[in-house]
Amino acid sequence: MAVKALVLAAGAGTRMKSSAPKVLQDLAGLPLLQWVLDAIAPLPLDEIVVVVGHGAREVEKILPEGVKARLQDQQLGTGHAVRAGVTGMDIGSNSILVLPGDMPLLTKTTIRKLLDHHQEGTAAATVLTAEIEGSDFGRMVRDGTGRLVGIVELKDADPDQASVLEVNGGVYVFDGNLLGEALESLTTENAQGEYYLTDVVGMLVGAGHTVDTVVTDAAELTGVNSHQQLADAAHLVRRRINQRWMSEGVWMQDPDRVYIGARVQLAAGVRIFPDVHLEGTTEVGADTILGPDVYALDTRIGMGSRVWYSVMRGSSVGDEAEVGPYASLRPGTVLEARSKLGTFVETKNTRLGEGAKVPHLAYMGDADIGARANVGAGSITCNYDGVSKYPTKIGERAFIGSDTMLVAPVTIGEDAYTGAGSVITQDVPPGSLAVERSEQREIRDYAARVQARKKKKQQGD
Ligand code: UD1
Ligand code: CA
């Protein structure tokens, strides 16, 4: 029997007070909906349909290939959403897995358990539940013998029903034929005036069918309806991600202060100090030490490197390189093996060859710096004339004196030197020294002359 999945993602998410659709809110670098799609991706599903409505266009953009979108043009409730979702779908003798798009902590293991339970038994539907105190979820209402009779939303519950701890996770597997029939009979006679998917459960039981439940832990059913809940979910996800990396050999001084995106890759032996944020497709090689205080986005860092108090975006750092403290690597920065980018250095679209060093207070933009070259403190590539950007090339082993202004386009040859304080506007041939500054003058006995002037002024007073 084939299984088809429906992910409900049309809701507005009113409680977020955000113009973006709720299911696109970011959680550890991925939209909420992506977490649910990732959880079901490895399951043997015949078809995956996402019901879209609010911000449908933006939501459709993130759907992976093979996942279809179906529009629910008015959000009249979860039952209405499922009806929209199954329109044009061959539900017949298939099982239909229904999931909310706003429950990012659901795991594939739990969903698989629910599916297996349903397929091994004969129930018309199987519902994922948990025992949660003080939840605003629908209540699983049972008769005196413990048999499930229906699901009652909290807003429709009497005090007895409201006191039930077992709640509806909003994840279900239905027999396709029976679901199709029940959807036709849904009404909006309830506190919210909506078509409730939960009513399908009561209808099935009323018609003499069995509905089973599978219990999971409360954390997996963390729903996101507000910014507080989004932060709570982010906390749980962070713990999950960090635990996983620690089990793979990553050391963290304080895992509560390490923020690793869902798509980041770390090798064993990486060491992470507090307040490190790794985002996007960042990758870190073995034995590299990060932090305190590192922000890295879409950046590749090699093995045995050290980065602290620094920001790196769209950059690449080789093996055994050193970055920081207080370096800013803007997109297009490439640091080759054993190179060093030190304190208060900014780079953009710049390559540092093997073993090259820019240790202090510099800006290198659109520069190609050869292997083992050294750029002195206070040096700057003047790469922008207010209209266009120009390249600077520094040859291998060149020595750029402190406070050199490299007015691009300009080339400094291999083994060449520039004198401290020079404004270099012309190419420097390999092996030469270029000095551009006026000659030093000395005024003899200057201090004595000042003293004499002071004395004269006092006498005049
Ligand atoms: C729903 C359940 C509740 C359960 C809870 C668990 C109903 C009536 N109630 O309540 O029993 O405990 O989920 O998460 O089903 N959606 C649409 N179209 C709509 C309405 C909702 O696509 O017209 C989507 C939302 O985007 C969301 C999901 O369905 O992803 C759940 O909707 P939501 O309004 O959050 O339902 P709850 O009030 O949480
Ligand atoms: Ca919800």
Side-chain angles (χ1 to χ4, degrees):
M1 198 197 314
V3 184
K4 300 180 176 231
L6 268 188
V7 182
L8 309 186
T14 330
R15 285 161 281 183
M16 305 288 288
K17 299 185 170 61
S18 159
S19 57
K22 177 173 81 176
V23 291
L24 294 188
Q25 291 283 338
D26 181 276
L27 181 69
L30 297 180
L32 288 178
L33 176 61
Q34 187 67 53
W35 285 91
V36 179
L37 294 175
D38 280 4
I40 61 173
L43 302 175
L45 300 170
D46 201 48
E47 191 176 357
I48 301 175
V49 171
V50 176
V51 179
V52 297
H54 264 272
R57 274 195 192 177
E58 293 152 80
V59 177
E60 277 174 38
K61 269 190 220 148
I62 71 149
L63 300 185
E65 238 187 75
V67 172
K68 294 170 207 156
R70 194 133 312 137
L71 187 71
Q72 181 198 20
D73 46 14
Q74 260 184 305
Q75 284 68 54
L76 303 180
T78 48
H80 184 259
V82 169
R83 209 149 70 189
V86 298
T87 305
M89 194 191 239
D90 168 31
I91 51 174
S93 55
N94 298 308
S95 294
I96 310 298
L97 167 68
V98 177
L99 313 108
D102 61 355
M103 222 171 247
L105 279 110
L106 280 171
T107 61
K108 64 165 189 283
T109 314
T110 297
I111 303 167
R112 197 192 299 267
K113 221 166 86 186
L114 181 76
L115 274 176
D116 288 349
H117 183 99
H118 184 81
Q119 292 188 303
E120 284 157 15
T122 55
T126 308
V127 185
L128 187 66
T129 70
E131 299 218 334
I132 308 177
E133 206 148 343
S135 163
D136 57 0
F137 285 0
R139 299 314 201 239
M140 306 303 290
V141 176
R142 295 177 185 274
D143 65 15
T145 69
R147 202 175 77 104
L148 181 70
V149 291
I151 302 175
V152 177
E153 290 305 291
L154 186 57
K155 285 184 179 146
D156 299 286
D158 63 35
D160 260 2
Q161 293 167 334
S163 71
V164 171
L165 287 183
E166 190 192 5
V167 296
N168 169 27
V171 184
Y172 324 75
V173 190
F174 293 100
D175 172 278
N177 281 320
L178 297 173
L179 173 67
E181 283 168 31
L183 288 174
E184 296 307 316
S185 325
L186 286 179
T187 68
T188 57
E189 283 150 28
N190 52 56
Q192 303 186 76
E194 288 179 0
Y195 294 98
Y196 286 171
L197 177 61
T198 45
D199 286 350
V200 168
V201 169
M203 287 177 183
L204 292 174
V205 174
H209 299 287
T210 333
V211 176
D212 264 356
T213 56
V214 166
V215 185
T216 186
D217 68 284
E220 283 212 27
L221 301 186
T222 304
V224 176
N225 297 309
S226 63
H227 284 291
Q228 179 61 57
Q229 289 172 342
L230 181 60
D232 293 344
H235 187 80
L236 292 167
V237 160
R238 188 152 68 238
R239 284 186 54 182
R240 224 189 242 176
I241 291 175
N242 290 354
Q243 275 166 9
R244 174 181 153 220
W245 287 120
M246 287 189 284
S247 75
E248 306 230 337
V250 171
W251 174 90
M252 296 183 192
Q253 188 180 45
D254 182 357
D256 284 337
R257 289 169 63 188
V258 173
Y259 307 80
I260 303 174
R263 296 287 190 253
V264 168
Q265 291 297 325
L266 306 178
V270 167
R271 296 174 66 79
I272 306 182
F273 286 91
D275 301 325
V276 168
H277 300 249
L278 306 177
E279 298 187 357
T281 57
T282 293
E283 280 175 41
V284 186
D287 304 324
T288 282
I289 304 174
L290 300 175
D293 283 9
V294 168
Y295 174 84
L297 170 67
D298 301 332
T299 290
R300 214 202 129 271
I301 307 164
M303 296 188 285
S305 293
R306 167 97 204 254
V307 183
W308 52 332
Y309 300 100
S310 292
V311 174
M312 303 179 286
R313 291 168 290 164
S315 295
S316 159
V317 176
D319 297 342
E320 294 169 49
E322 255 184 86
V323 176
Y326 310 108
S328 172
L329 283 66
R330 290 165 51 201
T333 297
V334 176
L335 307 188
E336 292 190 355
R338 288 172 291 286
S339 61
K340 175 179 175 164
L341 206 71
T343 313
F344 301 116
V345 176
E346 175 181 339
T347 53
K348 184 219 74 177
N349 186 29
T350 285
R351 182 188 76 96
L352 251 71
E354 214 176 304
K357 291 194 166 95
V358 186
H360 350 257
L361 294 154
Y363 170 61
M364 294 286 118
D366 305 308
D368 186 83
I369 303 170
R372 283 172 295 285
N374 191 303
V375 177
S379 295
I380 281 172
T381 53
C382 311
N383 60 325
Y384 183 50
D385 62 4
V387 182
S388 303
K389 306 264 167 79
Y390 302 96
T392 299
K393 190 164 167 25
I394 299 174
E396 292 189 5
R397 297 171 304 278
F399 182 96
I400 306 300
S402 294
D403 199 31
T404 299
M405 300 295 112
L406 298 156
V407 182
V410 71
T411 297
I412 313 296
E414 289 178 7
D415 301 298
Y417 288 74
T418 66
S422 296
V423 178
I424 303 295
T425 52
Q426 287 163 40
D427 291 354
V428 180
S432 313
L433 164 68
V435 192
E436 186 282 337
R437 60 185 179 225
S438 49
E439 245 169 71
Q440 185 166 322
R441 276 201 309 146
E442 274 126 47
I443 299 168
R444 299 267 162 176
D445 304 323
Y446 182 74
R449 279 155 64 179
V450 172
Q451 279 307 320
R453 282 216 304 275
K454 275 191 185 158
K455 213 169 170 186
K456 200 170 161 199
K457 187 161 184 251
Q458 275 164 8
Q459 282 164 355
D461 284 344

